[in-house]
Amino acid sequence: MHVSGILKHKDSSTIISAKPGDTIETVAALLAAHRIGAVLVLDPGGSVAGIISERDIVRGLATHGPAVLNQSVSELMTRKVVACAPGDSVSSIMTRMTEGRFRHMPVMDGGRLVGFISIGDVVKHRLAEATSEVESMRVYVAGGF
């Protein structure tokens, strides 16, 4: 299966994002309100400028203390964002996320942002795939083919 399969089952019409000038306090509230772990940081033209995650915020707190809440997203965000394409295999994305030790990935198609997936989306998709395979095998073995 491919990343496009994950996007089909996910509401990709709305991608929660932040601007580089937003404060960390604003982003923390956004993460909490939507119960998510990261948001893309989009520049005024809508291009991906970075990503800011709970992990980035915790590192900022450890370094700067409570004053980090007044810092801008651009000061803490991860600038080197690893993206994938709709045609990438789910197993390759899972490997890249695991090896890179990150949990969120924008989906780009021809330079255009078309989605944002998390490791949770990938695992959910793989579990559904495995369940379907088990059920198919059960039907086959039971002679229901």
Side-chain angles (χ1 to χ4, degrees), residues 60-135:
L61 276 168
T63 304
H64 306 287
V68 75
L69 294 173
N70 296 317
Q71 287 185 285
S72 68
V73 168
S74 63
E75 294 177 68
L76 289 185
M77 71 183 185
T78 300
R79 294 177 187 279
K80 185 180 179 193
V81 179
V82 177
C84 64
D88 290 347
S89 72
V90 173
S91 60
S92 73
I93 296 309
M94 187 176 252
T95 299
R96 287 167 64 191
M97 287 177 153
T98 301
E99 289 175 355
R101 299 182 50 86
F102 56 88
R103 301 177 308 214
H104 301 86
M105 185 180 270
V107 183
M108 307 294 287
D109 191 10
R112 196 176 107 252
L113 178 64
V114 295
F116 191 47
I117 60 173
S118 70
I119 192 68
D121 298 324
V122 173
V123 169
K124 181 180 175 182
H125 184 79
R126 292 288 296 221
L127 285 173
E129 199 174 55
T131 300
S132 176
E133 288 173 8
V134 166
E135 188 55 34

Side-chain angles (χ1 to χ4, degrees), residues 129-145:
E129 199 174 55
T131 300
S132 176
E133 288 173 8
V134 166
E135 188 55 34
S136 293
M137 291 299 290
R138 186 176 319 200
V139 169
Y140 178 78
V141 169
F145 52 94

Side-chain angles (χ1 to χ4, degrees), residues 18 27 32 47 59 65 101 116:
V27 170
S47 296
R59 280 191 201 114
R101 299 182 50 86
F116 191 47

